[in-house]
Amino acid sequence: MSRTSDRVLLLISSRIVSGVKRDIQPFRLLNSQLKKDSKSDTESEKNQSWDVLRNISSTFKWTDSKGTVDDSDTSSKKAQSRNNGLLKEAKVVESKVNILNDKQQSQLDISKPCLSIKGNNHDETSQKIVKKLLEASSVISKVAQLNILNEHLAKDNSFLNNAQKTALVHHLTASKDEFSKRRYQEAVRCTLNLIGMPEKPKGSGIKILCIDGGGTRGLAPLEMLAKLEKACVDKGVIKNENPDSSNEFLSQFDLICGVSTGSIVAFMTSVAGISFTTSINVYRKMASEIFQRSSIIGVGSTLTGNSWYDTDKWLKHLQSYERSFDPIYMASKEKSAPLICAVSVVTNCDILRPYVFRSYGFRPDSRSRYFGGAAVENWEVLRATTAAPFYFDPFAYEDMVLQDGGILLNNPTALAIHEARALWPNEELQLVLSMGTGLQNSIPKNDLTRPQSKQQQQKAKAVRTEYLKTFNHFIDTVTNTEVVHTTLKDLLPRGTYFRFNPRLNDSFVLDEFRAERLDELRQQTLQYMSREENRVDRFVKCFAQSRSTKLKLRDLWHQRVEQIFPN
């Protein structure tokens, strides 16, 4: 019996000792690495590393001399406790070696502490980029490093730690006046926007423009915005020296938010720089090219699992806009250009949730609750936010399936206010302009059920099938925008919220393409704006408020504090 127990205890002790030796093997490698770098070590660090080696050697000696086996149970328990102590001591030795390595790394970067990141997967890449940027002397090299940095920030807003962001902001703001090259100024604006440091509001507070979804009824907000722009020119608020562009009017806004067709209006006018008048003509041409399709082909395409309309044709149209292949974060690179966001919806999850494409990012201490990103091109943004179910195929982005944002937020005004509050937490709202695509009567049930005469069938040749009419009725119910409007009208300060949404006499489907029907839509929209002259005047008065001297002094006072990103 004693021989058997001896063998068992010897086997256990040998395995424990061999395990300790395996655990200690990494420490030998680490200490050999410390010896290689010992030329740059201080005397105290050398002594500490030798202490670690002594602990390891004493551990082996203690194991060899004290590792005898006793027949009694008490001696086996003592041996087990001793071996447990060995493992604990080995872990302590490992932590000491790690501390030494951390000290060496910190001493290497002590001249530039802002470049040190711990626990970040991008630490080496971000250190190299920021170091090259700070050390670059020519404008070309600075722009190159800024473009690389912007690509990383668009994918991951936490690519830089707070210390790096603080050093970067101080460097960029100090050198902004030194380098007057346009490309450098644009790259700096993109960087500052992505790290949550956009320019201050242009007026006495934040000015927001929001545009609803609604298919080809997007002609209505274009007509209304053209009227508002003309009113501002007539009142002398803006000059509009370039009639082929509406940038002078739109650049007065700090944030523009669109969903579905509203996103197309926002990008076409603000990013591509097309005037409202030209955009109306482009919109009408687009409607006739994309939405003019026979019901037989549409139904056949739907039954085979595809969309009613040709998605590839729609994609080519979106890619035909100027700057359509630019990343969205470059949409706000121009001086005084507003920030842009567009709303889509993630549908391949248990609960539908909005996804916001942004030309900006947020500070760590002030973030949006809406999920989103900036690492996409403009045509991808428009493709995702206009992927209406049944009309166009869904858009696959990374591991998400994105569809028309109007499914969930056809009136994005509340979302835009939340985004603006996160961007400028210390600013008040000056103006919130919300543009609707028309209030219309629902399709009468009789029109869906009663049999049509030959004369009615002749008139409805180019219109929808009964199935499509029912679907449009469902879409109108889901995409109702007035609930958000009623809530904001009650909550926002009086005189800051303006919503223009014409009451339409007839029903206009989302994919209307007939010229005579679009003319009726335009006529009813212009009649509505002529009845709202008093509200237009109040809008112009609110729109014209400039930033006071008191606010400008406050901006200078808080500028240094806001440039610091707390750790």
Side-chain angles (χ1 to χ4, degrees), residues 207-209 224-225 227-233 235 237-238 249 252-253 430-435 495-500 529 532-545:
K207 286 188 280 192
I208 306 172
L209 170 61
M224 293 186 290
L225 286 170
K227 284 295 180 183
L228 294 177
E229 182 187 36
K230 186 177 183 302
C232 291
V233 173
K235 297 288 184 179
V237 177
I238 59 175
F249 173 73
Q252 301 301 314
F253 290 94
Q430 175 186 340
L431 171 67
V432 178
L433 176 60
S434 178
M435 309 301 290
T496 62
Y497 176 65
F498 295 86
R499 178 165 172 83
F500 293 92
M529 290 301 290
E532 298 290 334
E533 288 184 357
N534 291 333
R535 278 211 305 145
V536 171
D537 292 338
R538 292 200 302 271
F539 161 78
V540 173
K541 186 178 180 180
C542 180
F543 182 79
Q545 294 176 11

Short mmCIF file of all heavy atoms in Angstrom, two decimals, residues 207-209 224-225 227-233 235 237-238 249 252-253 430-435 495-500 529 532-545:
data_model
loop_
_atom_site.label_atom_id
_atom_site.label_comp_id
_atom_site.label_asym_id
_atom_site.label_seq_id
_atom_site.Cartn_x
_atom_site.Cartn_y
_atom_site.Cartn_z
N LYS A 207 -29.62 75.76 -36.52
CA LYS A 207 -30.64 75.78 -37.59
C LYS A 207 -30.65 74.42 -38.28
O LYS A 207 -29.62 73.95 -38.76
CB LYS A 207 -30.35 76.89 -38.60
CG LYS A 207 -30.66 78.29 -38.05
CD LYS A 207 -30.56 79.36 -39.12
CE LYS A 207 -29.11 79.75 -39.35
NZ LYS A 207 -29.01 80.99 -40.17
N ILE A 208 -31.82 73.79 -38.31
CA ILE A 208 -31.97 72.42 -38.81
C ILE A 208 -32.98 72.41 -39.95
O ILE A 208 -34.03 73.05 -39.87
CB ILE A 208 -32.43 71.46 -37.70
CG1 ILE A 208 -31.50 71.54 -36.49
CG2 ILE A 208 -32.52 70.03 -38.20
CD1 ILE A 208 -32.01 70.76 -35.29
N LEU A 209 -32.66 71.66 -40.99
CA LEU A 209 -33.58 71.42 -42.10
C LEU A 209 -33.85 69.93 -42.20
O LEU A 209 -32.91 69.13 -42.28
CB LEU A 209 -33.00 71.94 -43.42
CG LEU A 209 -33.75 71.54 -44.70
CD1 LEU A 209 -35.18 72.07 -44.69
CD2 LEU A 209 -33.00 72.02 -45.94
N MET A 224 -41.36 74.14 -52.44
CA MET A 224 -41.48 74.99 -51.26
C MET A 224 -40.15 75.61 -50.87
O MET A 224 -40.08 76.78 -50.47
CB MET A 224 -42.08 74.19 -50.11
CG MET A 224 -43.52 73.77 -50.34
SD MET A 224 -44.30 72.96 -48.91
CE MET A 224 -43.41 71.41 -48.89
N LEU A 225 -39.05 74.83 -50.95
CA LEU A 225 -37.73 75.38 -50.64
C LEU A 225 -37.34 76.47 -51.63
O LEU A 225 -36.70 77.46 -51.25
CB LEU A 225 -36.69 74.26 -50.66
CG LEU A 225 -36.72 73.30 -49.46
CD1 LEU A 225 -35.82 72.09 -49.71
CD2 LEU A 225 -36.27 74.02 -48.18
N LYS A 227 -39.42 78.53 -53.01
CA LYS A 227 -40.17 79.71 -52.58
C LYS A 227 -39.54 80.36 -51.36
O LYS A 227 -39.46 81.59 -51.26
CB LYS A 227 -41.63 79.32 -52.29
CG LYS A 227 -42.47 79.09 -53.51
CD LYS A 227 -42.64 80.38 -54.31
CE LYS A 227 -43.49 80.17 -55.54
NZ LYS A 227 -43.61 81.42 -56.35
N LEU A 228 -39.09 79.56 -50.40
CA LEU A 228 -38.44 80.12 -49.21
C LEU A 228 -37.13 80.80 -49.57
O LEU A 228 -36.79 81.86 -49.02
CB LEU A 228 -38.21 79.00 -48.19
CG LEU A 228 -39.46 78.35 -47.58
CD1 LEU A 228 -39.06 77.21 -46.65
CD2 LEU A 228 -40.29 79.39 -46.82
N GLU A 229 -36.38 80.20 -50.48
CA GLU A 229 -35.13 80.83 -50.92
C GLU A 229 -35.41 82.17 -51.59
O GLU A 229 -34.71 83.17 -51.34
CB GLU A 229 -34.42 79.90 -51.90
CG GLU A 229 -33.08 80.44 -52.40
CD GLU A 229 -32.48 79.59 -53.49
OE1 GLU A 229 -33.25 79.06 -54.32
OE2 GLU A 229 -31.24 79.46 -53.53
N LYS A 230 -36.43 82.23 -52.45
CA LYS A 230 -36.78 83.48 -53.12
C LYS A 230 -37.21 84.55 -52.11
O LYS A 230 -36.86 85.74 -52.26
CB LYS A 230 -37.90 83.23 -54.13
CG LYS A 230 -38.25 84.45 -54.99
CD LYS A 230 -39.32 84.09 -56.00
CE LYS A 230 -39.62 85.30 -56.90
NZ LYS A 230 -40.06 86.49 -56.15
N ALA A 231 -37.94 84.12 -51.07
CA ALA A 231 -38.36 85.08 -50.04
C ALA A 231 -37.15 85.65 -49.31
O ALA A 231 -37.12 86.84 -48.98
CB ALA A 231 -39.31 84.40 -49.07
N CYS A 232 -36.15 84.82 -49.03
CA CYS A 232 -34.94 85.30 -48.36
C CYS A 232 -34.15 86.26 -49.25
O CYS A 232 -33.57 87.24 -48.76
CB CYS A 232 -34.05 84.12 -47.96
SG CYS A 232 -34.73 83.09 -46.64
N VAL A 233 -34.14 85.99 -50.55
CA VAL A 233 -33.45 86.90 -51.47
C VAL A 233 -34.19 88.23 -51.56
O VAL A 233 -33.56 89.31 -51.54
CB VAL A 233 -33.34 86.24 -52.87
CG1 VAL A 233 -32.77 87.24 -53.89
CG2 VAL A 233 -32.45 85.00 -52.81
N LYS A 235 -35.99 89.64 -49.31
CA LYS A 235 -35.83 90.37 -48.05
C LYS A 235 -34.40 90.81 -47.82
O LYS A 235 -34.11 91.49 -46.83
CB LYS A 235 -36.28 89.50 -46.88
CG LYS A 235 -37.75 89.12 -46.91
CD LYS A 235 -38.67 90.29 -46.59
CE LYS A 235 -40.13 89.84 -46.55
NZ LYS A 235 -41.04 90.96 -46.22
N VAL A 237 -31.82 88.86 -47.14
CA VAL A 237 -31.12 88.02 -46.18
C VAL A 237 -29.93 87.32 -46.85
O VAL A 237 -28.85 87.20 -46.27
CB VAL A 237 -32.08 86.98 -45.57
CG1 VAL A 237 -31.35 86.05 -44.62
CG2 VAL A 237 -33.22 87.68 -44.86
N ILE A 238 -30.12 86.84 -48.07
CA ILE A 238 -29.04 86.25 -48.86
C ILE A 238 -29.02 86.93 -50.23
O ILE A 238 -30.02 87.53 -50.65
CB ILE A 238 -29.20 84.72 -49.02
CG1 ILE A 238 -30.53 84.39 -49.69
CG2 ILE A 238 -29.07 84.02 -47.68
CD1 ILE A 238 -30.70 82.91 -50.00
N PHE A 249 -28.22 79.47 -49.80
CA PHE A 249 -29.37 79.33 -48.90
C PHE A 249 -29.16 78.17 -47.94
O PHE A 249 -29.33 78.30 -46.73
CB PHE A 249 -30.65 79.14 -49.72
CG PHE A 249 -31.86 78.82 -48.91
CD1 PHE A 249 -32.47 79.79 -48.13
CD2 PHE A 249 -32.40 77.55 -48.90
CE1 PHE A 249 -33.60 79.50 -47.37
CE2 PHE A 249 -33.52 77.24 -48.16
CZ PHE A 249 -34.12 78.22 -47.39
N GLN A 252 -26.67 78.20 -44.82
CA GLN A 252 -27.05 78.87 -43.58
C GLN A 252 -27.54 77.89 -42.51
O GLN A 252 -27.63 78.25 -41.34
CB GLN A 252 -28.14 79.92 -43.85
CG GLN A 252 -27.75 80.99 -44.85
CD GLN A 252 -26.54 81.77 -44.40
OE1 GLN A 252 -26.44 82.18 -43.24
NE2 GLN A 252 -25.58 81.97 -45.30
N PHE A 253 -27.85 76.68 -42.92
CA PHE A 253 -28.28 75.65 -41.97
C PHE A 253 -27.05 74.94 -41.40
O PHE A 253 -26.02 74.82 -42.06
CB PHE A 253 -29.20 74.63 -42.65
CG PHE A 253 -30.55 75.17 -43.02
CD1 PHE A 253 -30.79 75.68 -44.29
CD2 PHE A 253 -31.58 75.18 -42.10
CE1 PHE A 253 -32.02 76.19 -44.64
CE2 PHE A 253 -32.83 75.68 -42.43
CZ PHE A 253 -33.04 76.20 -43.71
N GLN A 430 -32.37 77.64 -32.80
CA GLN A 430 -32.83 78.88 -33.41
C GLN A 430 -33.96 78.62 -34.40
O GLN A 430 -34.97 79.34 -34.41
CB GLN A 430 -31.68 79.58 -34.15
CG GLN A 430 -32.13 80.82 -34.93
CD GLN A 430 -31.02 81.42 -35.76
OE1 GLN A 430 -29.85 81.16 -35.51
NE2 GLN A 430 -31.36 82.22 -36.75
N LEU A 431 -33.80 77.58 -35.23
CA LEU A 431 -34.78 77.31 -36.28
C LEU A 431 -34.82 75.82 -36.58
O LEU A 431 -33.77 75.18 -36.75
CB LEU A 431 -34.41 78.08 -37.55
CG LEU A 431 -35.19 77.76 -38.82
CD1 LEU A 431 -36.65 78.18 -38.67
CD2 LEU A 431 -34.56 78.42 -40.03
N VAL A 432 -36.02 75.27 -36.64
CA VAL A 432 -36.24 73.89 -37.09
C VAL A 432 -37.24 73.98 -38.24
O VAL A 432 -38.41 74.29 -38.04
CB VAL A 432 -36.78 72.99 -35.97
CG1 VAL A 432 -37.05 71.58 -36.51
CG2 VAL A 432 -35.81 72.93 -34.81
N LEU A 433 -36.76 73.71 -39.45
CA LEU A 433 -37.59 73.76 -40.66
C LEU A 433 -37.87 72.33 -41.12
O LEU A 433 -36.95 71.59 -41.47
CB LEU A 433 -36.88 74.55 -41.76
CG LEU A 433 -37.59 74.61 -43.12
CD1 LEU A 433 -38.96 75.27 -42.99
CD2 LEU A 433 -36.73 75.34 -44.15
N SER A 434 -39.13 71.96 -41.12
CA SER A 434 -39.55 70.61 -41.49
C SER A 434 -40.39 70.68 -42.76
O SER A 434 -41.39 71.40 -42.82
CB SER A 434 -40.36 69.97 -40.35
OG SER A 434 -40.81 68.68 -40.71
N MET A 435 -39.96 69.93 -43.79
CA MET A 435 -40.63 69.97 -45.08
C MET A 435 -41.33 68.64 -45.33
O MET A 435 -40.68 67.57 -45.37
CB MET A 435 -39.62 70.24 -46.21
CG MET A 435 -38.72 71.45 -45.98
SD MET A 435 -39.65 72.98 -45.77
CE MET A 435 -40.27 73.23 -47.41
N GLY A 495 -42.02 79.99 -32.18
CA GLY A 495 -41.26 80.82 -33.09
C GLY A 495 -40.00 80.17 -33.63
O GLY A 495 -39.28 80.79 -34.42
N THR A 496 -39.73 78.93 -33.21
CA THR A 496 -38.53 78.24 -33.71
C THR A 496 -38.86 77.09 -34.64
O THR A 496 -37.99 76.64 -35.39
CB THR A 496 -37.70 77.69 -32.54
OG1 THR A 496 -38.48 76.73 -31.81
CG2 THR A 496 -37.27 78.79 -31.58
N TYR A 497 -40.11 76.61 -34.63
CA TYR A 497 -40.48 75.42 -35.40
C TYR A 497 -41.42 75.82 -36.54
O TYR A 497 -42.48 76.43 -36.31
CB TYR A 497 -41.14 74.40 -34.49
CG TYR A 497 -41.65 73.17 -35.21
CD1 TYR A 497 -40.78 72.28 -35.83
CD2 TYR A 497 -43.02 72.88 -35.27
CE1 TYR A 497 -41.24 71.15 -36.48
CE2 TYR A 497 -43.50 71.76 -35.91
CZ TYR A 497 -42.60 70.90 -36.52
OH TYR A 497 -43.06 69.78 -37.17
N PHE A 498 -41.04 75.48 -37.77
CA PHE A 498 -41.84 75.77 -38.95
C PHE A 498 -41.96 74.49 -39.78
O PHE A 498 -40.94 73.90 -40.15
CB PHE A 498 -41.20 76.86 -39.81
CG PHE A 498 -41.12 78.20 -39.13
CD1 PHE A 498 -40.04 78.51 -38.31
CD2 PHE A 498 -42.12 79.15 -39.31
CE1 PHE A 498 -39.96 79.74 -37.69
CE2 PHE A 498 -42.05 80.38 -38.67
CZ PHE A 498 -40.97 80.67 -37.86
N ARG A 499 -43.19 74.09 -40.04
CA ARG A 499 -43.42 72.92 -40.90
C ARG A 499 -44.32 73.33 -42.05
O ARG A 499 -45.40 73.89 -41.83
CB ARG A 499 -44.05 71.76 -40.13
CG ARG A 499 -44.32 70.54 -41.03
CD ARG A 499 -44.61 69.30 -40.23
NE ARG A 499 -45.05 68.17 -41.04
CZ ARG A 499 -44.24 67.35 -41.70
NH1 ARG A 499 -42.93 67.55 -41.64
NH2 ARG A 499 -44.71 66.35 -42.41
N PHE A 500 -43.87 73.02 -43.25
CA PHE A 500 -44.64 73.29 -44.45
C PHE A 500 -44.99 71.95 -45.10
O PHE A 500 -44.09 71.19 -45.52
CB PHE A 500 -43.84 74.16 -45.42
CG PHE A 500 -43.58 75.55 -44.91
CD1 PHE A 500 -42.42 75.84 -44.21
CD2 PHE A 500 -44.51 76.56 -45.12
CE1 PHE A 500 -42.18 77.12 -43.72
CE2 PHE A 500 -44.27 77.85 -44.64
CZ PHE A 500 -43.11 78.13 -43.94
N MET A 529 -48.43 77.47 -50.72
CA MET A 529 -47.42 78.44 -50.28
C MET A 529 -47.93 79.87 -50.39
O MET A 529 -47.57 80.73 -49.57
CB MET A 529 -46.15 78.28 -51.12
CG MET A 529 -45.39 76.99 -50.84
SD MET A 529 -44.88 76.81 -49.12
CE MET A 529 -43.61 78.07 -49.01
N GLU A 532 -49.72 80.73 -47.30
CA GLU A 532 -48.89 80.73 -46.09
C GLU A 532 -47.87 81.88 -46.09
O GLU A 532 -46.78 81.74 -45.54
CB GLU A 532 -48.14 79.40 -45.98
CG GLU A 532 -49.03 78.18 -45.85
CD GLU A 532 -49.74 78.13 -44.49
OE1 GLU A 532 -49.19 78.72 -43.53
OE2 GLU A 532 -50.82 77.53 -44.41
N GLU A 533 -48.22 83.02 -46.69
CA GLU A 533 -47.27 84.13 -46.80
C GLU A 533 -46.86 84.66 -45.42
O GLU A 533 -45.71 85.04 -45.21
CB GLU A 533 -47.86 85.24 -47.65
CG GLU A 533 -47.92 84.90 -49.13
CD GLU A 533 -48.43 86.06 -49.96
OE1 GLU A 533 -48.77 87.12 -49.36
OE2 GLU A 533 -48.48 85.93 -51.20
N ASN A 534 -47.80 84.70 -44.48
CA ASN A 534 -47.46 85.20 -43.14
C ASN A 534 -46.44 84.30 -42.45
O ASN A 534 -45.50 84.79 -41.81
CB ASN A 534 -48.73 85.31 -42.29
CG ASN A 534 -49.65 86.41 -42.78
OD1 ASN A 534 -49.19 87.39 -43.38
ND2 ASN A 534 -50.95 86.26 -42.54
N ARG A 535 -46.64 83.01 -42.56
CA ARG A 535 -45.66 82.10 -41.96
C ARG A 535 -44.32 82.16 -42.66
O ARG A 535 -43.28 81.99 -42.04
CB ARG A 535 -46.21 80.66 -41.97
CG ARG A 535 -47.15 80.37 -40.82
CD ARG A 535 -47.11 78.93 -40.39
NE ARG A 535 -47.36 78.02 -41.48
CZ ARG A 535 -46.77 76.84 -41.61
NH1 ARG A 535 -45.87 76.44 -40.73
NH2 ARG A 535 -47.05 76.05 -42.64
N VAL A 536 -44.33 82.38 -43.97
CA VAL A 536 -43.08 82.52 -44.71
C VAL A 536 -42.32 83.74 -44.21
O VAL A 536 -41.08 83.69 -44.03
CB VAL A 536 -43.36 82.63 -46.22
CG1 VAL A 536 -42.09 83.00 -46.98
CG2 VAL A 536 -43.91 81.30 -46.75
N ASP A 537 -43.03 84.84 -43.96
CA ASP A 537 -42.37 86.05 -43.44
C ASP A 537 -41.78 85.80 -42.06
O ASP A 537 -40.66 86.26 -41.75
CB ASP A 537 -43.37 87.21 -43.37
CG ASP A 537 -43.80 87.68 -44.77
OD1 ASP A 537 -43.04 87.42 -45.72
OD2 ASP A 537 -44.87 88.30 -44.88
N ARG A 538 -42.51 85.07 -41.21
CA ARG A 538 -41.98 84.76 -39.88
C ARG A 538 -40.76 83.85 -39.98
O ARG A 538 -39.81 83.97 -39.20
CB ARG A 538 -43.07 84.11 -39.02
CG ARG A 538 -44.21 85.04 -38.66
CD ARG A 538 -44.99 84.52 -37.45
NE ARG A 538 -45.54 83.20 -37.66
CZ ARG A 538 -46.74 82.95 -38.18
NH1 ARG A 538 -47.51 83.96 -38.57
NH2 ARG A 538 -47.18 81.73 -38.33
N PHE A 539 -40.80 82.93 -40.94
CA PHE A 539 -39.64 82.07 -41.16
C PHE A 539 -38.41 82.90 -41.56
O PHE A 539 -37.31 82.68 -41.03
CB PHE A 539 -39.94 81.04 -42.25
CG PHE A 539 -38.71 80.43 -42.86
CD1 PHE A 539 -38.01 79.43 -42.19
CD2 PHE A 539 -38.21 80.87 -44.08
CE1 PHE A 539 -36.86 78.88 -42.74
CE2 PHE A 539 -37.07 80.33 -44.64
CZ PHE A 539 -36.40 79.33 -43.96
N VAL A 540 -38.56 83.83 -42.47
CA VAL A 540 -37.44 84.65 -42.94
C VAL A 540 -36.86 85.46 -41.79
O VAL A 540 -35.64 85.58 -41.65
CB VAL A 540 -37.88 85.56 -44.10
CG1 VAL A 540 -36.76 86.53 -44.47
CG2 VAL A 540 -38.30 84.75 -45.30
N LYS A 541 -37.72 85.99 -40.94
CA LYS A 541 -37.26 86.76 -39.79
C LYS A 541 -36.44 85.91 -38.83
O LYS A 541 -35.40 86.33 -38.32
CB LYS A 541 -38.46 87.38 -39.06
CG LYS A 541 -38.09 88.32 -37.94
CD LYS A 541 -39.33 88.93 -37.30
CE LYS A 541 -38.95 89.87 -36.17
NZ LYS A 541 -40.17 90.47 -35.53
N CYS A 542 -36.89 84.69 -38.58
CA CYS A 542 -36.15 83.77 -37.70
C CYS A 542 -34.87 83.30 -38.38
O CYS A 542 -33.82 83.17 -37.74
CB CYS A 542 -37.04 82.59 -37.34
SG CYS A 542 -36.27 81.37 -36.27
N PHE A 543 -34.94 83.06 -39.67
CA PHE A 543 -33.79 82.57 -40.44
C PHE A 543 -32.66 83.60 -40.47
O PHE A 543 -31.47 83.24 -40.53
CB PHE A 543 -34.27 82.25 -41.86
CG PHE A 543 -33.21 81.70 -42.77
CD1 PHE A 543 -32.82 80.37 -42.69
CD2 PHE A 543 -32.60 82.51 -43.72
CE1 PHE A 543 -31.85 79.85 -43.54
CE2 PHE A 543 -31.63 82.00 -44.57
CZ PHE A 543 -31.26 80.67 -44.48
N ALA A 544 -33.01 84.88 -40.42
CA ALA A 544 -32.02 85.96 -40.60
C ALA A 544 -31.26 86.31 -39.34
O ALA A 544 -30.31 87.11 -39.40
CB ALA A 544 -32.72 87.21 -41.14
N GLN A 545 -31.63 85.76 -38.19
CA GLN A 545 -30.95 86.12 -36.94
C GLN A 545 -29.49 85.67 -36.98
O GLN A 545 -29.20 84.50 -37.21
CB GLN A 545 -31.66 85.46 -35.75
CG GLN A 545 -33.07 85.98 -35.51
CD GLN A 545 -33.77 85.24 -34.39
OE1 GLN A 545 -33.13 84.47 -33.66
NE2 GLN A 545 -35.07 85.46 -34.23
#
